Amino acid sequence: MHSHHLASMHHVNVLDAYSEQLETIPKEVLQEQVQAIQKETVASRKWLASLPRERLAGQAEESVKGIQQSHAQTIKAAKAITAELQNPNVNYTSVSNQVNQMSRSLRSGESHIHDAYNHWKLNPIHRRLHPGT
């Protein structure tokens, strides 16, 4: 779940870096990035849904709800961007707003994943790469 989530965040960070100049990126490239975000987010959601019910309840329940909300908001924003990119006159301000929404949602989801992993006694791999975080 976490690796898919991090992959989504990577693609969003690329778009976010260009949020003020999205119109300089070909629509096809923007759409490819959005599809990658959606694909990785769906994979993260599927992994979460595959967990046993008892793991999703109890102490981790609020964290799981936060992760699910992050997934839903990210996919909703991705769909909005896809719809906007179909227009002949793309509103890049709207696309940028949706990119920002995805970025906020995924950052929020990241903290919920960490909380859930703590409840589940799992060690997020990034802790090995970034000790002290």
Side-chain angles (χ1 to χ4, degrees), residues 22 48 51 53 61 71 82 88 90 94 101 120 124 128 130:
L22 288 174
L48 181 63
L51 290 174
R53 279 194 175 280
E61 187 172 4
H71 291 156
T82 297
V90 175
S94 175
Q101 174 60 48
W120 298 333
R128 294 183 199 138
H130 305 284

Side-chain angles (χ1 to χ4, degrees), residues 83-84 94 100 124:
E84 185 59 43
S94 175
N100 290 330

Side-chain angles (χ1 to χ4, degrees), residues 27 31 35 79-90:
K27 283 185 190 183
Q31 187 58 49
Q35 287 172 335
K79 288 179 179 179
I81 292 171
T82 297
E84 185 59 43
L85 291 175
Q86 302 307 311
N87 294 328
N89 296 317
V90 175

Side-chain angles (χ1 to χ4, degrees), residues 20-117:
E20 299 298 320
Q21 297 111 8
L22 288 174
E23 65 278 355
T24 66
I25 301 173
K27 283 185 190 183
E28 298 79 20
V29 174
L30 282 172
Q31 187 58 49
E32 287 172 8
Q33 287 292 309
V34 171
Q35 287 172 335
I37 293 163
Q38 198 165 4
K39 176 185 170 199
E40 293 295 344
T41 302
V42 167
S44 183
R45 183 196 313 191
K46 284 181 181 178
W47 187 92
L48 181 63
S50 73
L51 290 174
R53 279 194 175 280
E54 60 272 3
R55 187 164 265 192
L56 301 175
Q59 291 180 329
E61 187 172 4
E62 288 303 312
S63 299
V64 168
K65 286 179 184 177
I67 297 166
Q68 291 168 330
Q69 183 178 21
S70 168
H71 291 156
Q73 289 171 338
T74 301
I75 291 168
K76 181 179 177 183
K79 288 179 179 179
I81 292 171
T82 297
E84 185 59 43
L85 291 175
Q86 302 307 311
N87 294 328
N89 296 317
V90 175
N91 179 341
Y92 286 99
T93 300
S94 175
V95 173
S96 180
N97 290 339
Q98 294 300 330
V99 168
N100 290 330
Q101 174 60 48
M102 286 192 296
S103 181
R104 286 189 308 273
S105 297
L106 289 169
R107 279 195 313 269
S108 173
E110 176 76 357
S111 66
H112 290 296
I113 288 172
H114 291 190
D115 290 343
Y117 277 21

